Amino acid sequence: MTAETIVLVVAVSFGFYMAWNIGANDAANSMGTSVGSGALTLKQAVIAASFFSFVGAVLLGGDVTNTIRKGMIDPGIFADTPFYLIYGMLAALFATGLWLQLATYYGLPVSTTHSIVGAILGIGFTVGGLDALNIKKILQIFASWVVSPVSGGLIAFIVFTYIKKKIIDTKTPLHNVKTQAPYLAFSVFVILTLSLIYKGMKNLHLNVPFDKALVISIGAGILSFLICNLLTKKIKGNVKNGFEKEFHRMEKIFGYLQILTALYVALAFGANDVANAIGPLAAIVSAIQTNTVAMKIGVPIWVLSLGGVGIAVGICTWGYKVIETTGKRITELTPSRGFSAEFGTATTVLGCSLMGLPVSTTHTLVGSIIGVGIARGIATLNFQVVKNIFLSWIITLPLTAILSIIIFKILVLLFV
């Protein structure tokens, strides 16, 4: 077996390990609110998240990726020593996988994007020093730690406060949800369709202009409004049946809306986060085959599939840990609360994408859940869990950077 073959086997193993941990941590929490609210069972959530994350990874993951994720460092520092790129990406994959596995063990939802960025920054600093780092991009990452959870939390707070006032805290919640549900469905489908076309389809290079994407999204929203209006009219409600029964049926309607948003988030996770695993792997494959460093490289379908399978396996085998945290341990969720959190997440991610801001869906989702908890009453939040999650976010970048530097140094000592 040649040295190139050995390196390739190791790279594939590390890439799969990374994808497995992405599934177990990042992709799994897309279904946390649905499980916590009772809209889906754990088994249903795992199956749905696995399928939609896999589809998102393989069909929307893109056939071209940046050599260095998010442009955090200058790939030119590896031009004269391509093998440093190979060992650097190996170290980044393994270091990130280790951190994600540790976070998942403790049920802490962390950002895989920030994790791989930290690891790659560590490699960039080791090889090229401070001059090799893109300080502007790094500052954007730091800003997103505040912008995304706060924005998600604010939107979720507003949405749930509106739902409480117009539906939950009324004498006829079922009647009122039948009136409001079509408008909520319209909003959800506009946001989800626009996100999918404008963000997801870019990976397929269809390049749908924003104005056309908006028209299509509004059309999908109107169609969903009409369908939802037709379906809700068939729901017969009678307060004489008992308020509790009517309230339960009201929450069930929100459950359907929540599942739709959760499926979208799972699809988006697969489409966007698979690059965190296959980007470094594709860079290694390209460097081995060409002995050069390219800014952008093609992604073979087998590499995309490997990432998709890894994410799906991660969700199935260990995803329940983070699902439990986001679904049950931050604050108690019902379908209406879970819908508000998912809506806040999807809206924030779309808004930040339109403005070109890097954003962590994980951070946004956690912020949205906290926003719902505040809307219920701040005492409903589990502050110990929230504190642990925030601490894990703070140490993600420096920890993965240090781990990747150590692993890189070991690989260089062993093989150079």
Side-chain angles (χ1 to χ4, degrees):
M1 187 180 289
T2 63
E4 288 82 1
T5 303
I6 293 173
V7 171
L8 183 59
V9 170
V10 173
V12 169
S13 301
F14 284 8
F16 184 84
Y17 175 64
M18 169 67 166
W20 176 74
N21 280 294
I22 289 175
N25 192 291
D26 218 350
N29 69 43
S30 63
M31 289 292 167
T33 58
S34 299
V35 174
S37 69
L40 290 173
T41 65
L42 179 60
K43 183 178 179 180
Q44 290 170 335
V46 165
I47 293 172
S50 300
F51 176 77
F52 279 89
S53 293
F54 176 81
V55 170
V58 176
L59 297 185
L60 302 177
D63 58 358
V64 176
T65 186
N66 291 325
T67 304
I68 307 297
R69 281 293 284 152
K70 304 295 182 185
M72 288 294 141
I73 63 175
D74 178 13
I77 61 177
F78 301 107
D80 297 329
T81 52
F83 59 90
Y84 270 10
L85 173 68
I86 294 172
Y87 296 140
M89 293 303 100
L90 283 175
L93 284 172
F94 193 54
T96 305
L98 284 175
W99 165 236
L100 290 177
Q101 186 170 15
L102 180 64
T104 304
Y105 177 80
Y106 288 104
L108 298 171
V110 296
S111 169
T112 57
T113 299
H114 291 182
S115 300
I116 192 68
V117 162
I120 289 174
L121 285 175
I123 301 301
F125 177 75
T126 303
V127 176
L130 280 175
D131 292 338
L133 307 184
N134 188 330
I135 303 300
K136 182 180 177 180
K137 288 283 187 179
I138 297 171
L139 291 176
Q140 285 181 336
I141 287 286
F142 285 137
S144 76
W145 286 353
V146 177
V147 173
S148 57
V150 170
S151 299
L154 181 61
I155 294 172
F157 176 89
I158 293 171
V159 170
F160 185 64
T161 300
Y162 176 84
I163 290 172
K164 278 185 65 181
K165 183 178 179 180
K166 295 293 184 178
I167 300 172
I168 297 175
D169 294 340
T170 64
K171 295 179 180 179
T172 55
L174 182 60
H175 171 76
N176 293 339
V177 79
K178 287 166 60 180
T179 303
Q180 298 292 328
Y183 296 99
L184 294 172
F186 172 83
S187 302
V188 167
F189 271 85
V190 168
I191 290 169
L192 299 191
T193 306
L194 187 57
S195 297
L196 190 59
I197 295 174
Y198 185 74
K199 190 174 183 182
M201 294 302 181
K202 280 190 173 182
N203 290 335
L204 297 181
H205 310 291
L206 298 180
N207 298 320
V208 180
F210 178 74
D211 56 346
K212 290 185 178 180
L214 183 60
V215 170
I216 295 171
S217 301
I218 292 174
I222 293 172
L223 181 61
S224 68
F225 177 93
L226 295 174
I227 293 173
C228 185
N229 189 51
L230 183 65
L231 293 175
T232 52
K233 281 183 177 179
K234 294 182 178 181
I235 299 174
K236 303 298 181 183
N238 189 343
V239 180
K240 294 179 180 179
N241 293 335
F243 180 82
E244 187 173 337
K245 187 175 181 180
E246 297 289 290
F247 192 87
H248 176 74
R249 293 175 69 190
M250 175 273 293
E251 286 287 1
K252 193 170 183 179
I253 293 174
F254 274 110
Y256 295 130
L257 293 172
Q258 182 191 3
I259 291 170
L260 285 173
T261 52
L263 293 179
Y264 160 73
V265 173
L267 188 75
F269 265 126
N272 297 302
D273 282 20
V274 70
N276 292 325
I278 62 124
L281 176 57
I284 293 170
V285 173
S286 175
I288 291 174
Q289 292 175 343
T290 65
N291 200 36
T292 59
V293 175
M295 293 294 288
K296 288 191 175 183
I297 49 182
V299 181
I301 187 63
W302 69 266
V303 175
L304 266 177
S305 299
L306 178 81
V309 170
I311 288 174
V313 172
I315 295 171
C316 292
T317 56
W318 230 23
Y320 67 91
K321 282 183 168 290
V322 173
I323 285 176
E324 182 180 2
T325 298
T326 56
K328 297 179 180 180
R329 297 179 61 200
I330 297 175
T331 190
E332 184 182 353
L333 294 176
T334 61
S336 57
R337 298 167 193 165
F339 165 77
S340 302
E342 294 282 1
F343 187 88
T345 301
T347 305
T348 299
V349 170
L350 172 61
C352 289
S353 297
L354 293 176
M355 292 185 289
L357 297 175
V359 62
S360 165
T361 309
T362 298
H363 289 193
T364 309
L365 179 62
V366 171
S368 298
I369 295 172
I370 293 172
V372 170
I374 294 173
R376 292 179 59 214
I378 200 164
T380 63
L381 289 171
N382 187 330
F383 282 100
Q384 184 59 49
V385 172
V386 172
K387 174 186 172 184
N388 291 340
I389 291 173
F390 283 173
L391 286 175
S392 71
W393 292 357
I394 293 171
I395 67 173
T396 290
L397 244 69
L399 183 61
T400 53
I402 293 169
L403 278 175
S404 67
I405 290 171
I406 294 171
I407 296 169
F408 177 70
K409 294 284 190 181
I410 293 172
L411 289 173
V412 171
L413 285 173
L414 289 175
F415 300 108
V416 177

